[in-house]
Amino acid sequence: MPMRCVTANPLHLPAEGLWCAPSFRLNDSPTTSLLEHGATSALGALRIGSLLSGREAARMVKVADGMGFVQPAEDESGDRRNGALSWALHDELCETLSRRIAPHVPRAICAHRHEASAEHREELLRLESLRHMLGGGGGGGGRPWVRRCDGAPEGTYRLAGINARCRLYRYEPDGKDRFAPHYDEVWPGSRLVLAGEGAGAVPAPPPLLEYDGWTYGQGEDGAWAWEPGDRVSHLSLLLYLTDGFGGGETVLLPEGGAAAVHVPPVAGDALCFGQSFSLGRPHVRPSELALLHEGRPCFPLHNPRDAPAPDGAGWAGFGKVASPGARARDGRRGDGRRGGGRAKRAARPQPSGGQTDPADGGRPDGGATPKYVLRSDLLYYLPPPG
């Protein structure tokens, strides 16, 4: 059952809509893979197939509905119009998701400030690869990134896993809910502390969302403070929990007037892309590989042929509509550079009699399916020098 939890971190106040589900588990064994398409890959975005099974995604939706979504106030800026809540994942849930996704995302981020020559960037990669070969690079993972991160500490960050703090958004299929174009900013790592893990106070304290100690200065030098082992995010993780509607794409908006890339949601799949270290500081440029993006409205779809035409060459090619059960992906291949293999998945079986299977993300009453998407972060830590 969902439970309210608390936090003392001023970044997360007020804590309205902050929940956890300590008994929730992921019990299936989906074949997670890296899916490549030229348009998304060219932007540095990573499409992860089957991070969740369809049944696991549907169970997460059911738990989230039991928590309750908070609607934005009418007088807000209007950048976001959808239901939202915060879900703090417990350790086992974070570890399961981290283990599934780790082979397909950068095992390390080589961050530098300002511009750097191609030779310097190649040298950063060479040194990181050497450390990894010698066993100093931690666990597995895909090919490392080198990126410019103005306003951030320079160094090679190591993959730590998925952040406990998540935001979950619900888009009603009425063509109105949306998320305006924006960059995702980095966020400190967090962990859910459950009763019995603390000092043993009686009565047991409520679940507590604790944050790592990353803090930053507003000055030109972008001074930061952190302790060994503290984690900070570098990539966003969008985990789609439903499909079977029209629209609802995540639209990636590259700089320089290049064509937008539309990524339709597929339940259980995920999309990862870079975050920015700007953090509202006007003198700090968005970090390299940080992507301006938006969440498009969704609407009821009773026939896949009703789907809108793709927006030109920027269409991501994952299919016009992610309808329930349509899991096969013809012609998609993995990106060996990032640890992926050829993406092969059998289509999920359709329920007999033409009815929607509630465990497959649909509604038994035949109603229109909202879009549910969970947003978390991929966390990295900066080892001490030496």
Coordinates of all heavy atoms in Angstrom, one line a residue, residues 23-57:
S23 N 6.2 -2.0 -0.2 CA 6.0 -3.4 -0.5 C 6.0 -3.6 -2.0 O 5.9 -4.8 -2.4 CB 4.6 -3.8 0.1 OG 3.6 -3.0 -0.5
F24 N 6.2 -2.6 -2.8 CA 6.1 -2.8 -4.2 C 7.4 -3.5 -4.7 O 8.5 -3.1 -4.4 CB 5.9 -1.5 -5.0 CG 5.7 -1.7 -6.5 CD1 4.5 -2.0 -7.0 CD2 6.8 -1.5 -7.3 CE1 4.3 -2.1 -8.3 CE2 6.6 -1.7 -8.7 CZ 5.4 -1.9 -9.2
R25 N 7.3 -4.5 -5.6 CA 8.4 -5.2 -6.1 C 8.2 -5.4 -7.6 O 7.1 -5.5 -8.1 CB 8.5 -6.6 -5.4 CG 8.8 -6.6 -3.9 CD 10.2 -6.0 -3.6 NE 10.5 -6.1 -2.2 CZ 10.1 -5.2 -1.3 NH1 9.4 -4.1 -1.7 NH2 10.5 -5.3 0.0
L26 N 9.4 -5.6 -8.3 CA 9.4 -5.9 -9.7 C 9.8 -7.4 -9.8 O 11.0 -7.8 -9.5 CB 10.4 -5.1 -10.5 CG 10.1 -3.6 -10.4 CD1 11.2 -2.8 -11.1 CD2 8.7 -3.3 -11.1
N27 N 8.9 -8.3 -10.2 CA 9.1 -9.7 -10.1 C 9.3 -10.4 -11.5 O 9.6 -11.6 -11.5 CB 7.9 -10.4 -9.4 CG 7.7 -9.9 -8.0 OD1 8.7 -9.7 -7.3 ND2 6.5 -9.7 -7.6
D28 N 9.1 -9.6 -12.6 CA 9.3 -10.2 -13.9 C 10.8 -10.1 -14.3 O 11.6 -9.5 -13.6 CB 8.4 -9.5 -14.9 CG 6.9 -9.8 -14.7 OD1 6.6 -10.7 -13.9 OD2 6.1 -9.0 -15.2
S29 N 11.1 -10.7 -15.5 CA 12.4 -10.7 -16.0 C 12.4 -10.3 -17.5 O 12.7 -11.1 -18.4 CB 13.1 -12.1 -15.9 OG 13.1 -12.5 -14.5
P30 N 12.1 -9.0 -17.7 CA 12.1 -8.6 -19.1 C 13.5 -8.5 -19.7 O 14.5 -8.4 -19.0 CB 11.5 -7.1 -19.0 CG 11.9 -6.7 -17.6 CD 11.8 -7.9 -16.8
T31 N 13.5 -8.7 -21.1 CA 14.8 -8.6 -21.8 C 15.1 -7.2 -22.1 O 14.6 -6.7 -23.2 CB 14.8 -9.5 -23.0 OG1 14.4 -10.8 -22.6 CG2 16.1 -9.5 -23.7
T32 N 15.8 -6.5 -21.3 CA 16.1 -5.1 -21.5 C 17.2 -4.9 -22.5 O 18.1 -5.7 -22.5 CB 16.5 -4.4 -20.2 OG1 15.5 -4.6 -19.2 CG2 16.7 -2.9 -20.3
S33 N 17.0 -4.0 -23.5 CA 18.0 -3.8 -24.5 C 18.0 -2.3 -24.9 O 17.1 -1.5 -24.6 CB 17.6 -4.7 -25.7 OG 16.2 -4.3 -26.2
L34 N 19.1 -2.0 -25.6 CA 19.3 -0.7 -26.2 C 18.8 -0.6 -27.6 O 19.1 -1.5 -28.4 CB 20.8 -0.3 -26.2 CG 21.1 1.1 -26.7 CD1 20.5 2.2 -25.8 CD2 22.6 1.3 -26.8
L35 N 17.9 0.3 -27.9 CA 17.2 0.4 -29.2 C 17.8 1.7 -29.9 O 17.8 2.7 -29.3 CB 15.7 0.5 -29.0 CG 15.1 -0.6 -28.2 CD1 13.6 -0.3 -28.0 CD2 15.2 -2.0 -28.8
E36 N 18.2 1.5 -31.1 CA 18.8 2.6 -31.8 C 18.0 3.1 -32.9 O 17.5 2.3 -33.7 CB 20.2 2.3 -32.3 CG 20.9 3.5 -32.9 CD 22.3 3.1 -33.5 OE1 22.6 1.9 -33.6 OE2 23.0 4.0 -34.0
H37 N 17.9 4.4 -33.1 CA 17.4 5.0 -34.3 C 18.2 6.2 -34.6 O 18.6 6.9 -33.6 CB 15.9 5.4 -34.1 CG 15.3 6.0 -35.4 ND1 15.4 7.3 -35.7 CD2 14.6 5.4 -36.4 CE1 14.8 7.6 -36.8 NE2 14.3 6.4 -37.3
G38 N 18.5 6.4 -35.8 CA 19.5 7.5 -36.2 C 19.2 8.8 -35.6 O 20.1 9.6 -35.1
A39 N 17.9 9.2 -35.7 CA 17.5 10.6 -35.2 C 17.8 10.8 -33.7 O 18.3 11.8 -33.3 CB 16.1 10.9 -35.6
T40 N 17.3 9.9 -32.9 CA 17.5 10.0 -31.5 C 19.0 9.8 -31.1 O 19.5 10.5 -30.3 CB 16.7 9.0 -30.7 OG1 16.8 7.7 -31.2 CG2 15.2 9.4 -30.8
S41 N 19.7 8.8 -31.7 CA 21.1 8.5 -31.4 C 22.0 9.7 -31.7 O 22.9 10.0 -31.0 CB 21.5 7.3 -32.1 OG 20.7 6.2 -31.7
A42 N 21.6 10.4 -32.8 CA 22.4 11.5 -33.2 C 22.4 12.7 -32.2 O 23.4 13.5 -32.1 CB 22.0 12.1 -34.6
L43 N 21.4 12.7 -31.4 CA 21.3 13.8 -30.4 C 21.9 13.3 -29.0 O 21.9 14.1 -28.1 CB 19.8 14.1 -30.2 CG 19.1 14.7 -31.4 CD1 17.6 15.0 -31.0 CD2 19.7 16.0 -31.8
G44 N 22.3 12.1 -29.0 CA 22.8 11.5 -27.7 C 21.8 10.9 -26.8 O 22.1 10.5 -25.7
A45 N 20.5 10.9 -27.3 CA 19.5 10.2 -26.5 C 19.5 8.7 -26.6 O 19.9 8.2 -27.7 CB 18.1 10.8 -27.0
L46 N 19.1 8.0 -25.6 CA 19.2 6.6 -25.5 C 17.8 6.0 -25.3 O 17.1 6.4 -24.4 CB 20.1 6.1 -24.4 CG 21.5 6.7 -24.4 CD1 22.2 6.3 -23.1 CD2 22.3 6.2 -25.6
R47 N 17.3 5.1 -26.2 CA 16.0 4.5 -26.0 C 16.3 3.1 -25.5 O 17.0 2.3 -26.1 CB 15.3 4.4 -27.4 CG 13.8 3.9 -27.3 CD 12.9 4.9 -26.6 NE 11.6 4.4 -26.4 CZ 10.5 4.7 -27.0 NH1 10.6 5.6 -28.0 NH2 9.3 4.2 -26.8
I48 N 15.7 2.8 -24.3 CA 15.9 1.5 -23.6 C 14.6 0.7 -23.8 O 13.5 1.2 -23.3 CB 16.2 1.7 -22.2 CG1 17.4 2.8 -22.0 CG2 16.6 0.4 -21.5 CD1 18.7 2.4 -22.6
G49 N 14.7 -0.5 -24.3 CA 13.5 -1.3 -24.5 C 13.3 -2.2 -23.3 O 14.2 -2.8 -22.8
S50 N 12.0 -2.3 -22.9 CA 11.6 -3.3 -21.9 C 12.4 -3.1 -20.6 O 12.9 -4.1 -20.0 CB 11.7 -4.7 -22.4 OG 10.8 -5.0 -23.4
L51 N 12.5 -1.9 -20.1 CA 13.0 -1.7 -18.7 C 12.1 -2.3 -17.7 O 12.5 -2.8 -16.7 CB 13.3 -0.2 -18.5 CG 14.0 0.1 -17.2 CD1 15.3 -0.6 -17.0 CD2 14.1 1.6 -17.0
L52 N 10.8 -2.2 -18.0 CA 9.8 -2.9 -17.3 C 9.0 -3.9 -18.2 O 8.9 -3.6 -19.4 CB 8.7 -1.9 -16.7 CG 9.2 -0.9 -15.7 CD1 8.0 0.0 -15.3 CD2 9.8 -1.5 -14.5
S53 N 8.4 -4.9 -17.7 CA 7.5 -5.7 -18.5 C 6.2 -4.9 -18.5 O 5.9 -4.0 -17.7 CB 7.3 -7.1 -17.8 OG 6.5 -6.9 -16.6
G54 N 5.3 -5.3 -19.4 CA 4.0 -4.6 -19.5 C 3.2 -4.8 -18.2 O 2.5 -3.9 -17.8
R55 N 3.3 -6.0 -17.6 CA 2.6 -6.2 -16.4 C 3.1 -5.4 -15.2 O 2.4 -4.8 -14.4 CB 2.7 -7.7 -16.0 CG 1.7 -8.2 -15.0 CD 1.7 -9.7 -14.9 NE 1.4 -10.3 -16.2 CZ 0.1 -10.6 -16.6 NH1 -0.9 -10.2 -15.8 NH2 -0.1 -11.1 -17.7
E56 N 4.5 -5.2 -15.2 CA 5.1 -4.3 -14.1 C 4.7 -2.9 -14.3 O 4.4 -2.2 -13.3 CB 6.6 -4.5 -14.2 CG 7.1 -5.8 -13.7 CD 8.6 -6.0 -13.9 OE1 9.1 -5.3 -14.8 OE2 9.2 -6.8 -13.2
A57 N 4.6 -2.4 -15.6 CA 4.2 -1.1 -15.8 C 2.8 -0.8 -15.4 O 2.5 0.2 -14.7 CB 4.4 -0.7 -17.3

